[in-house]
Amino acid sequence: MSLILAIESSCDDTAASVCKDGKIFSNIIASQRIHEEWGGVVPELASRDHIKNILPVVDMALKKANVKKNELDAIGFTRGPGLVGSLHVGAAFAKSLALALGIPLIAVNHMHAHILANFIGQQPSFPFINLTVSGGHTQLVLMKDYLSLEIVGETIDDAAGEAFDKCAKIIGLPYPGGPLIDKYARDGDPKRFSFPKPKTANELDFSFSGLKTSVLYFLQKETAQNPNFIAENLPDLCSSIQYTIVDYLIQKTKKAAKKHSVNGIALSGGVSANSLLRQKFQQLAKNNRWDCAVPAFEYCTDNAAMIAMAAHHLYIAKRFASQDTEPLARWEMAEALAAGE
Ligand code: KG4
Ligand code: ZN
């Protein structure tokens, strides 16, 4: 039996969740809107907002789960990777609460947690290939067990979410542009414009930096002839960009799953909220008779329920962290799991 409170503060969302024996009882999130006007997350503003939000968010998570602080068995928190100032707020809060209550502290790797979001309300069978696509990461991970994994492919430059956001910015859409591209793409023609899908030395790696450059040059050329080109072609533009990114992700996932003879495929990270990606991913699994796991929308983008899920499995393995555990801006999953998070 484990009753865990988990805290996530790695970027611009302050979140807390309570989980009992691996079942989520509450999942509270305060998303910071302040960054929209700056066109990206401003680290200093994010840390200040976390300080304001953390107490009410944790209070609400406990209340919603109908749990009192002194009933908790452990506190989980995101140690990294992420913005170090933001991570410090969650870490300091988690450490003080664990110390005051005299219960263990569990340091969770944010990327590992994104994968374990697939175990909320569903049970993918090992081994499976997980495609993690977020604003900062794009990885193909061979999951052998909850705490045993191997990265078999990753981006050599931009992340998939970054590709969505940077292309959106070129088109003139506000940050974060991924969800807006998804929205406008619905009425567009995905094959109207074609953009490159670069080859990489390792066939399971990704490269996205060329896409934004090709979108930029293409639009410079078109708007020189017709200044209204973007406004007149917004759905087709969004649809074609989205199709390029999604098709590339799907082809690589297919290769990875075949190469490693897995039982299934799973999707996670903020970009897994993308409607075309979800649809194509499910289709890929069906065509190859693979199991398919895709998290519910609320567990795709940053949240604390996924941190709670990872903390739950670390708790079972008794992988506790000491009070002097420092947040890490960069922290590889393999390192986190080898060191005993
Ligand atoms: O995992 P996440 O919430 O934060 C990070 O840890 O990075 O991912 C955020 C990323 C952003 O780049 C955002 O544009 C993208 O996920 N995203 C989407 C969609 N929803 C969020 N990209 C494409 N389509 C969406 N529907
Ligand atoms: Zn994330």
Side-chain angles (χ1 to χ4, degrees), residues 10 110-111 114 134 270 301-302 306:
S10 66
H110 183 87
M111 302 314 296
H114 265 303
S134 72
T301 44
D302 288 350
M306 68 183 196

Side-chain angles (χ1 to χ4, degrees), residues 110 114 134-136 161-162 164-165 176 178-179 182 269-271 273-274 300-302:
H110 183 87
H114 265 303
S134 72
E162 234 173 328
F164 269 106
D165 295 340
D182 191 354
V271 181
N274 183 269
C300 288
T301 44
D302 288 350

